């Protein structure tokens, strides 16, 4: 259903004043109405659903085995919470500060204050794409091309989809082969894309439901772990996590300060690789920023919601690690190839069914990851306008891949920037017309979802010569190294530049829409961590490390080199797009992308 007549008239007036109607091809994006915006609860669930995935169940075992120390493992997880919160604060400062426009001042009730305007942030979808383009403006299109290539190719959870296939077969008790695992991975990705393509609101409901259920699973693990440590039995007698003291050879608690650091390794790669996986596990804070313009009153509620969601997830992660170690003995963990959660349930319940149930929970958790990533990475809404080559999205603004397409750098950019009415909306309008009165039809980013799906399948296919375990390790490591660390370094380092070295540094500080605790402390911490982990990626692990080539099946230098290669590929794409394509294929014609804000408030 189109906009109401008065709102549409005001939009058309703004378009005519801007001269946008004179262009032959354009994409007009309007923010959603208040009734369709994402509330604080959905924002919190988006973070929880993305953060609670395979990482919290699989990574604790890798970290413990790599450091060979309970104490060092817990310290790394504690430091990981600082990293996760620092990253969120950096993103909040950007997300609530750019882009800025001169707008009328409003009071706390959102009523216009007569006689005054100020430079205010109008939240935009796209996350770090907007922040990088704001920082690195020159030369034109370079940042957009590099980020576009990285995110279109690597901005998916194909590694988690492979893990989904592995755990589904384990839960079913089936001895799976490589084609079966990859087939299930494709089914998982396809189901997530079809869900969002068919029913937008349904995708949000599923996201929120999965987030609540996954949080309850972690709470259950925490309760069971601490109860078992206190002597409670769950049908298999009491269990206690123990470590053998190297001096006395007496078994003591995992948390004994004398024995918990006794076996700690001195290989820097053990700690850097562990911290890399912890950083990946704690990422997820960035997901709501991809749909920021769809959030209800973000300047008032967004910071509180994201901090609450991220803080809750980080506390859960620390307590879950402690709960695991309340039950799982250190020596047993070092000699087991299973993930920590599976060993935990086997020790507590003492039967072979419990690990299979845990595998099912892991698969369910991973699917939630993929659902939320698909929503934020590929969300867009557009109506075909009666005029030729014009697309009018009346409700929801595009995110990430749509934002990339709207820059005109992709083949068939206008196609990938457009959307269509969802099948669910068509059914409602056909059979329940009264329920759709005064409510616009849901729109689906079908083309962008297809783009997202294609490259997810490409990444799975690219790792098909390896076993599923190796494919998972490579895909997760590559995502963590490039999307989490490399882009994180340029975002947080760019914030420090804006604060201390930019000619407009005083203006930035004065007009920032969010002032984090400790000023630049969060940006300094995250910049240093990202820089260290990127460099440490080239330190070879010890031969007995779980990250050694003999364990992973991949040379230790391949992932960081491939990560740098993706950035160089983006640079090459920029050179071709900026200099070769216009001269060779377009006969000297120049692409002009003009993005102008038409700020028209619904109902005046």
């Amino acid at each position: 259903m189109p906009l109401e007549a008065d709102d549409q008239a005001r939009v058309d007036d703004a378009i005519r004043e801007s001269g946008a109607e004179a262009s032959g091809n354009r994409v007009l994006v309007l923010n959603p109405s208040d009734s369709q915006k994402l509330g604080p609860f959905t924002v919190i669930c988006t973070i929880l659903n993305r953060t609670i995935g395979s990482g919290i169940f699989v990574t604790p075992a890798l970290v413990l085995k790599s450091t060979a120390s309970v104490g060092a493992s817990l310290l790394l997880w504690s430091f990981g919470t600082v990293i996760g919160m620092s990253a969120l604060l950096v993103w909040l400062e950007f997300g609530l500060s750019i882009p800025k426009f001169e707008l009328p001042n409003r009071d706390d009730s959102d009523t216009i204050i007569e006689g005054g305007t100020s430079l205010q942030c109008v939240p935009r979808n796209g996350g770090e794409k907007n922040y990088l383009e704001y920082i690195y403006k020159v030369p034109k299109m370079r940042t957009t091309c590099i980020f576009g290539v990285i995110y279109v190719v690597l901005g998916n959870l194909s590694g988690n989809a492979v893990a989904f296939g592995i755990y589904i077969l384990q839960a079913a008790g089936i001895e799976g082969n490589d084609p079966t695992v990859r087939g299930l991975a494709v089914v998982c990705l396809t189901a997530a894309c079809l869900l969002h393509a068919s029913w937008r609101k349904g995708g949000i409901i599923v996201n929120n439901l999965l987030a609540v259920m996954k949080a309850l699973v972690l709470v259950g693990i925490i309760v069971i772990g601490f109860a078992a440590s206190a002597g409670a039995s769950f049908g298999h007698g009491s269990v206690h996590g123990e470590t053998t003291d190297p001096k006395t050879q007496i078994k003591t608690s995992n948390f004994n300060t004398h024995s918990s650091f006794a076996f700690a390794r001195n290989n820097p790669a053990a700690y850097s690789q562990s911290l890399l996986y912890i950083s990946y596990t704690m990422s997820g804070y960035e997901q709501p920023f991809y749909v920021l313009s769809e959030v209800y009153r973000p300047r008032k509620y967004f910071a509180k919601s994201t901090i609450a969601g991220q803080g809750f997830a980080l506390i859960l992660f620390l307590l879950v690690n402690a709960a695991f170690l309340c039950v799982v003995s250190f020596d047993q963990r070092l000699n087991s190839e299973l993930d920590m959660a599976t060993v935990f349930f086997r020790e507590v319940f003492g039967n072979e069914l419990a690990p299979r149930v845990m595998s099912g929970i892991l698969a369910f958790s991973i699917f939630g990851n993929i659902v939320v990533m698909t929503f934020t990475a590929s969300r867009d809404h557009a109506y075909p306008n009666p005029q030729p080559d014009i697309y009018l999205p009346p409700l929801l603004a595009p995110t990430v891949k749509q934002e990339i397409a709207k820059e005109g750098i992709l083949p068939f950019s206008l196609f990938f920037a457009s959307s269509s009415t969802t099948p669910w909306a068509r059914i409602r309008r056909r059979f329940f017309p009264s329920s759709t009165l005064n409510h616009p039809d849901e729109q689906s980013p079908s083309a962008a979802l297809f783009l997202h799906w294609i490259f997810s399948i490409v990444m799975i296919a690219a790792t098909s010569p390896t076993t599923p375990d190796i494919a998972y390790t490579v895909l997760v490591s590559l995502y963590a190294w490039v999307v989490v660390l490399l882009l994180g370094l340029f975002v947080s380092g760019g914030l420090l530049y804006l604060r201390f070295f930019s000619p407009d540094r005083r203006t930035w500080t004065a007009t920032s829409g969010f002032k984090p605790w400790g000023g630049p402390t969060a940006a300094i911490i995250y910049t240093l961590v990202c820089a260290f982990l990127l460099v440490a990626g080239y330190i070879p692990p010890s031969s007995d490390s779980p990250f050694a080539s003999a364990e992973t099946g991949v040379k230790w230098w391949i992932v960081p080199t491939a990560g740098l290669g993706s950035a160089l590929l983006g640079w090459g794409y920029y050179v071709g797009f900026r200099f070769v394509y216009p001269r060779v294929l377009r006969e000297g014609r120049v692409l002009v992308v003009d993005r102008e804000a038409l700020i028209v408030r619904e109902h005046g």
Side-chain angles (χ1 to χ4, degrees):
M1 181 177 178
L3 293 174
E4 294 182 7
D6 58 336
D7 290 327
Q8 184 65 61
R10 293 166 57 239
V11 170
D12 291 340
D13 290 341
I15 293 173
R16 283 192 294 272
E17 291 174 7
S18 69
E21 64 178 356
S23 62
N25 295 281
R26 64 183 172 90
V27 175
L28 178 65
V29 179
L30 304 186
N31 278 342
S33 60
D34 287 348
S35 62
Q36 292 196 352
K37 287 187 175 182
L38 307 178
F41 179 71
T42 298
V43 170
I44 292 173
C45 287
T46 300
I47 292 179
L48 292 178
N49 201 16
R50 174 63 182 87
T51 306
I52 304 173
S54 61
I56 186 55
F57 302 107
V58 176
T59 303
L62 289 173
V63 174
L64 185 60
K65 200 170 184 179
S66 177
T67 60
S69 167
V70 170
S73 172
L74 291 176
L75 284 178
L76 285 177
W77 280 99
S78 299
F79 185 50
T81 63
V82 176
I83 298 172
M85 189 57 70
S86 297
L88 172 62
L89 295 178
V90 170
W91 258 247
L92 278 172
E93 185 165 356
F94 271 119
L96 297 178
S97 299
I98 61 172
K100 294 184 176 73
F101 300 96
E102 194 73 26
L103 298 174
N105 294 322
R106 295 177 180 272
D107 57 23
D108 291 338
S109 62
D110 214 26
T111 303
I112 293 179
I113 301 174
E114 296 294 335
T117 63
S118 62
L119 203 60
Q120 300 175 32
C121 170
V122 178
R124 177 182 290 176
N125 289 345
E128 54 265 31
K129 171 189 174 294
N130 300 325
Y131 316 151
L132 292 169
E133 289 175 341
Y134 183 87
I135 302 165
Y136 309 103
K137 299 182 177 71
V138 180
K140 289 184 178 180
M141 305 305 292
R142 180 189 62 184
T143 299
T144 303
C145 287
I146 294 175
F147 176 84
V149 168
I150 288 176
Y151 205 87
V152 168
V153 176
L154 300 179
N156 57 70
L157 294 180
S158 50
N160 281 26
V162 172
F164 173 84
I166 294 173
Y167 284 113
I168 280 290
L169 292 178
Q170 289 181 4
I174 299 174
E175 189 70 27
N177 51 33
D178 291 2
T180 305
V181 170
R182 288 182 167 82
L184 288 170
V186 172
V187 169
C188 175
L189 290 166
T190 304
C193 289
L194 288 177
L195 172 64
H196 291 300
S198 303
W199 186 23
R200 173 190 178 268
K201 187 175 181 180
I204 296 174
I205 292 172
V206 171
N207 169 74
N208 293 354
L209 182 62
L210 290 175
V212 172
M213 294 175 68
K214 291 198 289 186
L216 290 176
V217 167
L218 294 191
V219 171
I221 290 174
I222 293 168
V223 171
I224 291 172
F226 284 114
S229 179
S233 173
F234 295 88
H236 187 56
S238 60
V239 291
H240 300 281
E242 296 176 329
T243 301
T244 302
D245 192 306
K247 295 181 179 179
T248 62
Q249 296 302 308
I250 297 175
K251 291 185 179 296
T252 61
S253 167
N254 279 335
F255 303 102
N256 184 290
T257 55
H258 296 290
S259 59
S260 61
F261 291 94
F263 303 98
R265 301 186 196 276
N266 55 11
N267 180 15
Y271 298 92
S272 63
Q273 289 290 333
S274 297
L275 204 54
L276 170 64
Y277 273 79
I278 290 173
S279 298
Y280 171 76
T281 300
M282 294 186 173
S283 66
Y285 58 86
E286 73 280 4
Q287 297 302 306
F289 292 86
Y290 297 148
V291 290
L292 184 53
S293 68
E294 302 176 27
V295 174
Y296 177 69
R297 299 190 68 181
R299 284 188 293 174
K300 183 173 183 179
Y301 298 112
F302 187 72
K304 297 175 184 177
S305 302
T306 52
I307 291 173
Q310 181 77 339
F312 183 55
L314 298 181
I315 291 172
L316 283 179
F317 284 5
L318 281 179
L319 293 177
V320 164
N321 272 274
F324 283 153
L325 293 170
C326 285
V327 172
V328 180
S329 294
F330 172 71
D331 299 333
Q332 180 188 30
R333 177 55 259 165
L334 289 183
N335 298 319
S336 173
E337 297 301 322
L338 299 174
D339 59 78
M340 186 77 86
T342 301
V343 177
F344 174 86
F345 274 81
R346 188 177 63 185
E347 287 297 299
V348 170
F349 297 103
N351 57 64
E352 292 304 318
L353 180 61
R356 288 175 57 182
V357 172
M358 189 63 234
S359 295
I361 292 174
L362 277 166
F364 151 81
S365 181
I366 291 168
F367 180 70
N369 265 182
I370 294 171
V371 165
V372 70
M373 183 71 170
T374 304
F375 175 77
T376 56
S378 305
R379 179 54 52 190
D380 187 24
H381 302 265
Y383 269 119
N385 190 287
Q387 303 179 54
D389 298 321
I390 296 177
Y391 294 87
L392 178 64
L395 283 177
L396 296 179
T399 60
V400 196
K401 291 183 173 71
Q402 284 68 38
E403 289 290 335
I404 294 169
K406 282 173 171 42
E407 299 294 347
I409 67 169
L410 299 180
F412 312 107
S413 286
L414 195 60
F415 168 72
F416 289 119
S418 65
S419 299
S420 58
T421 303
T422 64
W424 172 250
R426 294 179 186 275
I427 292 172
R428 288 186 63 196
R429 185 157 296 281
R430 175 67 177 83
F431 296 103
F432 308 100
S434 61
S435 66
T436 61
L437 295 176
N438 301 321
H439 293 285
D441 289 341
E442 285 187 342
Q443 297 296 299
S444 165
S446 304
L449 281 167
F450 179 67
L451 179 67
H452 179 80
W453 182 84
I454 282 291
F455 277 96
S456 299
I457 303 305
V458 166
M459 296 303 293
I460 292 175
T463 56
S464 59
T466 66
T467 65
D469 290 339
I470 294 176
Y472 170 78
T473 300
V474 170
L475 293 172
V476 167
S477 300
L478 189 59
Y479 182 95
W481 206 89
V482 179
V483 178
V484 177
L485 294 184
L486 188 62
L487 295 182
L489 173 65
F490 281 100
V491 171
S492 56
L495 180 57
L496 293 178
Y497 166 78
L498 291 176
R499 276 181 164 271
F500 296 111
F501 305 105
S502 170
D504 301 323
R505 55 187 177 274
R506 292 186 178 179
T507 302
W508 173 267
T509 303
T511 61
S512 176
F514 176 79
K515 293 178 172 57
W517 313 310
T521 305
I524 292 172
I525 291 173
Y526 198 56
T527 301
L528 292 176
V529 168
C530 289
F532 167 73
L533 292 180
L534 288 171
V535 174
Y538 284 96
I539 300 175
S542 59
S543 58
D544 57 347
S545 168
F547 305 111
S549 301
E551 293 284 338
T552 64
V554 179
K555 296 293 184 181
W556 52 270
W557 48 267
I558 287 181
V559 168
T561 302
L564 289 178
S566 67
L568 292 176
L569 180 63
W571 189 289
Y573 187 89
Y574 159 72
V575 172
F577 179 81
R578 178 68 175 82
F579 301 105
V580 179
Y581 179 69
R583 290 172 172 79
V584 176
L585 299 177
R586 300 295 289 178
E587 300 176 351
R589 285 181 289 179
V590 178
L591 170 70
V592 177
V593 178
D594 185 16
R595 301 185 64 167
E596 182 170 352
L598 307 176
I599 302 173
V600 178
R601 188 175 179 83
E602 187 176 21
H603 304 304

